[in-house]
Amino acid sequence: MIQVRFVLRELRYGGAQALTFILCVALSIATLTALNSFRSDVHRSLLNDAQKLHGGDVIIHSHYPISEPLEQAVRDIQSRAGADLARVYGFNSVVRPEVADGSLFVNIMAVAPGYPLYGSVDLASGRPFGEVLQAGAVVVAPEVLSRLSLRIGDRLRIGTAVLTIVDTIDYDPSRPVSIFSLGPRIFTSTGDLEQMGLLGVGSRSHYEILLRLPEPEQARKIAETLSRVATAGQERVETATTARSQVKRFFDNMLFFLSFISIFTLLLSGIGMQSSLSALLRQKQYTIAIGKTVGATYRFLLLHYLALTMLLGLIGAIAGVLAGLIIKSTFPLLFGEIIPAELMLGVTIGDLVEGMLIGLLVVVLFSSLPLYRIAAIRPVALLRLDLTGNVGKPATYLLAALVVVFLALLVVRQLEDVQTGLVFMLGCLGFIAIIFLLTSLVLRLLRALPVGNLAMRQAFRSLFRPGNATRSIIVTLASALSVLLTIFLLEFNLVASFITSYPKDAPNLFSLDIQRGQQEAFFAAVGKEAELFPVVRGRLLSINGEAIDYERENQRRSDSLAREFNLTYRDTLLDDEIIVRGERLFEASRPASDVVEVSVLDTIAEIGDIDLGDRLVFSIQGLPMTAEVTSIRSRTKSKLYPFFYFVFAEEVLAAAPHTFFAALHLERDAIDETITRIVTALPNVSTLNVADTVVRLGELIDRLARVITFFSLFSIVAGCLILIGSVLATRLERIRDCAYYKIVGGTTRFVLSITVYENLLLGMTSSILAAAVAIVSSWLICSAWFNIAFRLHGGALVIMALTTCAAVVGIGLISSLSIVRQKPVTFLYRQNG
Amino acid sequence: MTAAILVSSRLSKTYQIGGRQLPVLSDISLTVSRGEFVVITGNSGSGKTTLLSVLSGLDRPSSGTIRLADRDITELSEDELAPLRNELIGFVFQAFHLIPSLNALENVMFPAELKKDPAAGDKATRLLERVGLSMRRQHMVSELSGGEKQRVAICRALINDPPLVFADEPTGNLDSTNSREIMSLLLELQRERDATLVLATHSREIARQADREVRLADGRLVSGEAS
Ligand SMILES: Nc1ncnc2c1ncn2[C@@H]1O[C@H](COP(=O)(O)OP(=O)(O)OP(=O)(O)O)[C@@H](O)[C@H]1O
Ligand SMILES: [Mg+2]
């Protein structure tokens, strides 16, 4: 049926185009394979085993001791369903060695025997966790030993207790990656809680009950039963599948973003496939036209060129899968501390098959238009020497619609969320539409431009030559570049506002949980007086009578209204605060009533759509309190200064149980010493070295930016492939023009300068468009999402523009050199050969 | 009519096909004087096109030399040939070979613009008027008929007033009325400008109008060698 010889023969003269096509296929499949296998690693090793991550089937979480009704309900379930139970208490504190100097901010987890219910905490000694962790003993993350220069057997002061380090943690299922945690982990036994004297005094204490059910499928039902008796807004009952975790959220976000980039790359390489295949088929127009004249049917031609395309696609797919494996193997290096290398599990057959299938689908989709064009080539073209086949508009639109639908499905699949997927898809289409419109506008302007220089004028003509992919090149290059540039500008601005521009006098030490009566001792320990901010823990229950939807809040990518807030009281604005709505913090004279006044920070007001006069109901220690919004504040300085979402008048909260928070600025080399002094005098006070944290944050941002840039580079490669494809697509015309220029006396220099001008125009237009779009979008993201000041990085813009122009001109010149060198006679007398 | 503008001596051209040598031109010595109209005739495949392209420097001979306006062009590089082509030579082809992205006027202007002639536009307009195409000035190449295209091509060949014009079957793609018109136009212009015309053709009618006929058979000169 299919004549293999025909297919192979047709490959003979289309080498460069075929290669570009194969590279495009390979590129898209490589990115997909690498990313999908990374995704399944993350899922299999970190996220899928939600029971291990959260430690049970049902998780009860509170910042206060679990209420009696809930305790009673838990006891019922234990006896009725035969569930296993483990109690866990968590808090942050600063610990110090019993004898030596030094101190360390850590996360302490006090666990009762039986923990963990799922999986196991692996210890360096290999002994079972339950046997090792007895009262009086602690098990610590290796970092604790190295940072405090301690050894197994040494003793640690934690709060008011002194405990012996008996082992170190190899793997902690509740904390598969530690990069996001402020302090290393220490496990203690619940038996020592009282002696430590830290539980409950600290604002950050967690009280948890974990349940393991004989029938884990019951988790949902049981969680619902327990929820009914739980104190709303204070106690959270979740199942392993619904519980949120910072790690999961981080990776969800990261995978979301990487998927976005991979789909973008897929789209670009799809365009590359289409243009290189068009180029290949254009070269075959003569064959096709002659074939038709001598009686080849459309079916015959289509079948054979389809076979040819699939052959190339298959080669590309295999190359892509191999490349994907190679890319995957660089991930440990790329991701560094974000993901421990041992969690990278390698590629499964499933990943490979999936990558191949999606890739081949992409091939079919993006090849359909060029293949369909075969039908439009009429034998009469031979007589007119004009071979551009025109496809009817409806077919083009139909195929474009198919591409969009396919991409939408892919997006939804990759992002694992229909609504976000569709929104994202629309966003992308909008983004590309904007770039497309801008490109058309610029091209129209360019076209109308009067040009004096002859070579320049020819370059303009060449840009607008029929069949030239000028617009698609600019659109793809500009989109790819703008994504890359946006990422760069975002990183630059994030680093600038959080790290570089971290003001010299900004606080570099935060102390939490200073108790009433400890103020003087605290000032003595730090050696100076400082402002102390009162902190009252509370939750938001409703806004204007509408209860906070805890489920929905927990899904939010931004800050959640469901979490416990630090409320404060004071009667004046902070130095870096201004009032944006309302006249003053609180109304001057107000009739006494049950409703108190509250001032809200603009960022949280935006999240909750809160306005002046709105009624907010808070829960403080389980007691409801209704407040009316009397002002909305905004902040003028970086996030590193202390801030409070909700501020009340002193008389409202002064009676509620509260602690104090201090933000201090100290000389850098005095920080460690001061922390040790504070913890010695006040063991319950947690002190965080902010300067240190900021450095770690900077490293994390840098890592993430590197990961994202790495993936974005693939889209740049796709852009280059499109450029090459387009030069190849117009190769015949270029050879012809070159011959014509030469017979009337054009020098090589003249011909080359046309190429340079032409590509320079392409490069400049793309980079200017990209810069404009990137500036606008990164400014939007900075001001609307991150809420940070936006600054331009002129150097980066210039470098981007220069590299782009150089690359585009380079590619154009290299692919034109062979054309320019030919003697004109080769074209003039052999064009139809 | 004495000074020679084009002198070739012992030209030969051999194509390599596969491993085989295919001699197409052998031992051709030919002298063309200034202002002369020479036709090259011969059967199809006898080597007319090859001879024209070698003589005009579009292709390189395998051996022998070519002198054009007292310069040996045999060994010149493409870039050394470019200004000669621009100023000394005009070409007219059977397949027209106009630049499709330019309109008629721009096609004609192009060689003059290359040498930065400020009068390029005026000269081109006058030439187009002369060949009766002023109305078609702004037309794109694809909007012209075969005869019109060839007239544009002739204008382009002549805009820089070259002393030497090569034409390879300039009427091969045209009907007999058009052929006659194009030929008389070409000859008129050639005489006006006192240019030399070297033209390859099958047509006896055209050959009769020439000052001299050179016949090729199997790549050899069989008549008209003397000058
Ligand atoms: N590039 C080439 N490679 C090999 N052989 C060639 C090449 N170009 C031409 N020939 C051969 O050289 C010979 C002369 O060709 P040429 O085109 O000069 O003939 P011609 O006299 O112009 O014929 P026609 O009147 O049909 O145009 C032919 O036999 C042809 O096959
Ligand atoms: Mg010929």
Side-chain angles (χ1 to χ4, degrees):
Chain A
M1 217 183 75
I2 286 185
Q3 300 176 15
V4 180
R5 275 184 43 207
F6 180 89
V7 172
L8 293 181
R9 204 172 51 222
E10 285 307 278
L11 258 182
R12 201 164 49 194
Y13 294 111
Q17 284 89 334
L19 188 65
T20 319
F21 183 83
I22 290 175
L23 286 178
C24 286
V25 177
L27 182 69
S28 60
I29 294 190
T31 347
L32 269 181
T33 313
L35 204 73
N36 280 349
S37 96
F38 171 63
R39 171 207 303 277
S40 44
D41 275 1
V42 169
H43 278 255
R44 272 174 304 171
S45 63
L46 300 180
L47 305 181
N48 257 15
D49 216 337
Q51 292 161 322
K52 274 191 207 162
L53 187 66
H54 296 285
D57 294 308
V58 175
I59 301 101
I60 300 172
H61 178 101
S62 175
H63 284 291
Y64 303 94
I66 308 292
S67 65
E68 191 39 44
L70 190 51
E71 285 280 2
Q72 181 58 46
V74 169
R75 276 195 294 275
D76 283 354
I77 288 188
Q78 240 189 313
S79 56
R80 196 155 40 84
D84 293 319
L85 174 147
R87 284 177 195 274
V88 175
Y89 305 89
F91 43 87
N92 292 324
S93 183
V94 176
V95 299
R96 60 196 176 101
E98 183 189 24
V99 282
D101 274 346
S103 57
L104 184 66
F105 186 91
V106 297
N107 175 264
I108 294 169
M109 202 154 151
V111 298
Y115 179 90
L117 295 172
Y118 282 101
S120 65
V121 179
D122 298 336
L123 300 180
S125 66
R127 290 177 296 166
F129 179 73
E131 273 175 29
V132 173
L133 193 67
Q134 303 292 336
V138 292
V139 169
V140 303
E143 213 184 326
V144 175
L145 295 189
S146 57
R147 301 239 333 234
L148 290 173
S149 315
L150 295 174
R151 278 176 305 173
I152 305 281
D154 287 342
R155 288 149 65 85
L156 265 185
R157 286 183 192 277
I158 308 180
T160 45
V162 181
L163 304 170
T164 309
I165 303 172
V166 292
D167 219 326
T168 57
I169 306 166
D170 249 6
Y171 178 73
D172 177 356
S174 69
R175 211 183 230 199
V177 284
S178 60
I179 183 164
F180 318 106
S181 336
L182 281 181
R185 158 106 0 129
I186 293 184
F187 278 111
T188 71
S189 151
T190 43
D192 294 321
L193 271 177
E194 206 169 322
Q195 230 205 317
M196 288 189 269
L198 294 173
L199 186 68
V201 295
S203 50
R204 312 252 155 194
S205 299
H206 297 269
Y207 296 74
E208 277 181 28
I209 294 181
L210 309 174
L211 290 173
R212 181 177 58 199
L213 306 173
E215 295 161 87
E217 314 79 60
Q218 297 282 313
R220 229 185 107 115
K221 236 182 74 198
I222 289 180
E224 274 169 18
T225 318
L226 292 174
S227 277
R228 256 174 256 136
V229 292
T231 316
Q234 177 174 313
E235 289 166 331
R236 219 165 59 222
V237 185
E238 290 165 322
T239 66
T241 35
T242 61
R244 69 190 194 141
S245 107
Q246 207 189 358
V247 178
K248 188 167 153 56
R249 236 161 68 128
F250 171 80
F251 280 106
D252 279 347
N253 279 330
M254 173 139 143
L255 286 172
F256 176 88
F257 208 82
L258 294 185
S259 295
F260 154 62
I261 296 177
S262 78
I263 291 170
F264 191 66
T265 308
L266 194 70
L267 185 65
L268 290 191
S269 25
I271 296 175
M273 284 175 215
Q274 166 157 6
S275 67
S276 54
L277 187 63
S278 294
L280 184 76
L281 291 177
R282 264 165 84 83
Q283 248 190 6
K284 303 296 173 201
Q285 276 171 338
Y286 247 94
T287 320
I288 294 168
I290 293 167
K292 285 187 173 177
T293 332
V294 300
T297 58
Y298 171 55
R299 222 182 89 84
F300 173 89
L301 291 168
L302 180 65
L303 210 63
H304 283 80
Y305 285 103
L306 186 65
L308 179 91
T309 311
M310 293 321 283
L311 177 69
L312 296 180
L314 200 67
I315 299 174
I318 293 169
V321 166
L322 291 178
L325 293 182
I326 295 174
I327 295 171
K328 175 79 195 298
S329 69
T330 66
F331 278 6
L333 209 69
L334 179 68
F335 284 93
E337 317 81 76
I338 298 179
I339 293 203
E342 61 267 23
L343 292 186
M344 303 272 188
L345 298 178
V347 181
T348 63
I349 297 290
D351 298 336
L352 296 188
V353 170
E354 191 186 344
M356 288 281 260
L357 281 182
I358 295 183
L360 287 179
L361 211 59
V362 170
V363 172
V364 170
L365 206 60
F366 281 94
S367 307
S368 48
L369 196 60
L371 285 176
Y372 182 74
R373 280 216 187 95
I374 294 176
I377 295 174
R378 310 239 165 274
V380 68
L382 283 177
L383 302 179
R384 299 182 173 274
L385 288 168
D386 166 26
L387 285 166
T388 31
N390 276 321
V391 182
K393 280 257 157 84
T396 314
Y397 288 141
L398 184 72
L399 283 167
L402 267 180
V403 169
V404 171
V405 168
F406 166 77
L407 281 177
L409 289 177
L410 195 65
V411 166
V412 168
R413 211 202 72 90
Q414 289 284 83
L415 303 185
E416 294 171 338
D417 173 1
V418 178
Q419 203 189 341
T420 325
L422 291 181
V423 168
F424 167 80
M425 184 75 198
L426 284 179
C428 264
L429 286 179
F431 176 76
I432 291 178
I434 288 174
I435 293 197
F436 184 86
L437 285 179
L438 285 177
T439 307
S440 307
L441 192 75
V442 170
L443 286 182
R444 184 170 290 196
L445 288 179
L446 280 181
R447 209 167 186 163
L449 217 62
V451 195
N453 181 302
L454 185 62
M456 182 84 93
R457 199 163 65 212
Q458 282 314 113
F460 272 83
R461 304 275 180 167
S462 188
L463 272 186
F464 298 110
R465 114 183 39 239
N468 209 358
T470 304
R471 190 154 51 183
S472 28
I473 293 174
I474 295 181
V475 168
T476 43
L477 264 184
S479 329
L481 283 173
S482 59
V483 169
L484 216 70
L485 202 60
T486 305
I487 291 163
F488 176 83
L489 285 176
L490 284 182
E491 189 206 354
F492 169 72
N493 278 291
L494 279 173
V495 168
S497 53
F498 284 113
I499 290 137
T500 328
S501 75
Y502 182 59
K504 287 246 174 328
D505 58 343
N508 50 17
L509 196 87
F510 285 178
S511 280
L512 300 89
D513 306 334
I514 302 164
Q515 307 290 310
R516 268 198 253 211
Q518 290 185 328
Q519 290 101 316
E520 291 310 318
F522 178 75
F523 295 149
V526 296
K528 61 176 176 186
E529 296 235 338
E531 182 170 8
L532 294 180
F533 302 95
V535 175
V536 177
R537 305 288 294 175
R539 277 176 181 274
L540 192 56
L541 294 182
S542 68
I543 301 173
N544 288 335
E546 205 173 306
I548 299 295
D549 182 343
Y550 290 100
E551 294 232 335
R552 209 190 59 205
E553 289 303 322
N554 287 337
Q555 302 295 324
R556 247 190 229 284
R557 279 180 203 281
S558 63
D559 205 349
S560 141
L561 293 174
R563 71 177 179 88
E564 199 168 47
F565 292 110
N566 289 323
L567 315 176
T568 194
Y569 60 79
R570 77 180 118 83
D571 293 326
T572 51
L573 286 174
L574 296 180
D575 284 348
D576 67 335
E577 284 181 332
I578 50 168
I579 291 202
V580 288
R581 307 281 316 267
E583 309 232 312
R584 51 179 79 81
L585 219 45
F586 306 113
E587 280 168 21
S589 59
R590 197 181 160 89
S593 83
D594 288 347
V595 179
V596 301
E597 295 170 86
V598 64
S599 170
V600 180
L601 196 65
D602 56 353
T603 44
I604 196 80
E606 228 164 81
I607 293 175
D609 197 14
I610 299 170
D611 207 346
L612 282 188
D614 284 355
R615 295 259 162 138
L616 312 181
V617 179
F618 290 90
S619 156
I620 294 165
Q621 295 257 297
L623 297 175
M625 179 176 80
T626 308
E628 185 180 317
V629 179
T630 48
S631 65
I632 292 180
R633 287 163 297 129
S634 186
R635 288 161 18 88
T636 54
K637 276 200 200 151
S638 109
K639 290 222 174 217
L640 286 160
Y641 288 87
F643 66 94
F644 292 89
Y645 282 152
F646 302 104
V647 174
F648 295 84
E650 176 158 5
E651 64 272 16
V652 177
L653 287 185
H658 61 266
T659 58
F660 293 96
F661 165 78
L664 302 165
H665 176 80
L666 298 175
E667 292 302 319
R668 260 195 120 76
D669 28 347
I671 296 179
D672 284 338
E673 224 175 285
T674 310
I675 295 178
T676 307
R677 270 208 308 278
I678 297 173
V679 69
T680 311
L682 306 166
N684 64 291
V685 173
S686 304
T687 303
L688 186 65
N689 183 341
V690 182
D692 205 41
T693 312
V694 163
V695 172
R696 302 240 323 243
L697 180 67
E699 285 166 5
L700 182 63
I701 293 180
D702 183 57
R703 251 311 152 195
L704 290 179
R706 236 186 298 167
V707 169
I708 294 167
T709 306
F710 177 79
F711 281 98
S712 313
L713 283 178
F714 289 108
S715 54
I716 293 288
V717 175
C720 290
L721 285 177
I722 294 176
L723 187 67
I724 295 172
S726 151
V727 174
L728 292 175
T730 50
R731 191 179 158 81
L732 279 182
E733 287 91 334
R734 280 169 204 277
I735 293 179
R736 184 196 61 203
D737 285 5
C738 181
Y740 292 166
Y741 295 144
K742 284 189 169 179
I743 54 169
V744 296
T747 55
T748 312
R749 220 184 104 111
F750 175 75
V751 179
L752 282 181
S753 61
I754 293 177
T755 314
V756 170
Y757 284 138
E758 187 183 340
N759 288 297
L760 210 56
L761 275 169
L762 276 182
M764 265 164 30
T765 316
S766 314
S767 37
I768 290 172
L769 275 179
V773 171
I775 290 171
V776 170
S777 50
S778 50
W779 169 76
L780 274 178
I781 295 175
C782 277
S783 50
W785 196 348
F786 292 128
N787 274 306
I788 54 174
F790 179 73
R791 261 186 29 217
L792 261 185
H793 191 301
L797 294 180
V798 170
I799 288 175
M800 187 273 306
L802 287 183
T803 1
T804 308
C805 291
V808 171
V809 169
I811 291 175
L813 272 185
I814 289 170
S815 33
S816 303
L817 271 186
S818 66
I819 294 173
V820 173
R821 282 219 205 88
Q822 290 188 19
K823 278 199 160 284
V825 69
T826 15
F827 175 77
L828 295 175
Y829 292 112
R830 249 179 284 159
Q831 57 172 342
N832 301 348
Chain B
M1 281 266 272
T2 45
I5 184 151
L6 180 66
V7 182
S8 80
S9 62
R10 315 205 49 134
L11 273 189
S12 57
K13 176 79 184 171
T14 309
Y15 285 114
Q16 298 259 33
I17 292 186
R20 289 193 309 122
Q21 304 268 345
L22 181 73
V24 178
L25 297 177
S26 337
D27 202 20
I28 295 191
S29 299
L30 181 69
T31 306
V32 180
S33 310
R34 230 174 251 279
E36 202 179 3
F37 171 24
V38 178
V39 291
I40 301 173
T41 56
N43 294 331
S44 186
S46 57
K48 303 183 291 294
T49 296
T50 312
L51 179 60
L52 270 192
S53 50
V54 169
L55 285 177
S56 61
L58 286 178
D59 206 353
R60 217 170 263 234
S62 308
S63 66
T65 55
I66 303 148
R67 292 185 68 81
L68 202 151
D70 291 329
R71 275 188 73 177
D72 188 339
I73 65 161
T74 325
E75 295 296 325
L76 291 188
S77 70
E78 276 299 301
D79 274 356
E80 290 165 327
L81 281 169
L84 297 187
R85 283 189 197 132
N86 186 246
E87 301 193 14
L88 299 184
I89 307 175
F91 290 95
V92 181
F93 300 93
Q94 178 176 1
F96 322 127
H97 293 320
L98 296 172
I99 300 178
S101 59
L102 303 181
N103 64 27
L105 181 70
E106 290 167 331
N107 261 292
V108 178
M109 282 165 67
F110 199 82
E113 283 184 302
L114 266 181
K115 66 168 205 182
K116 307 206 164 55
D117 182 346
D122 291 344
K123 283 188 184 170
T125 312
R126 255 181 285 128
L127 267 172
L128 281 173
E129 253 164 43
R130 177 77 178 70
V131 302
L133 281 182
S134 11
M135 300 301 288
R136 297 270 183 271
R137 254 192 330 233
Q138 302 298 337
H139 283 219
M140 297 308 285
V141 174
S142 56
E143 297 159 353
L144 298 173
S145 77
E148 288 165 342
K149 279 184 202 158
Q150 200 58 300
R151 275 184 272 179
V152 173
I154 290 172
C155 294
R156 178 179 70 181
L158 294 175
I159 186 146
N160 281 344
D161 249 329
L164 189 55
V165 175
F166 289 97
D168 188 1
E169 309 211 24
T171 59
N173 276 348
L174 304 174
D175 63 41
S176 52
T177 329
N178 251 310
S179 293
R180 240 166 265 140
E181 275 178 30
I182 289 288
M183 263 326 289
S184 55
L185 198 59
L186 189 59
L187 287 179
E188 241 173 83
L189 287 166
Q190 179 240 339
R191 292 208 173 108
E192 267 170 30
R193 285 150 193 263
D194 199 19
T196 309
L197 179 59
V198 180
L199 184 146
T201 185
H202 284 286
S203 156
R204 291 305 322 152
E205 193 185 332
I206 295 175
R208 267 199 299 278
Q209 306 174 45
D211 297 333
R212 179 152 63 104
E213 177 180 346
V214 172
R215 261 192 80 75
L216 277 181
D218 287 334
R220 292 174 185 281
L221 280 188
V222 291
S223 74
E225 207 163 336
S227 60

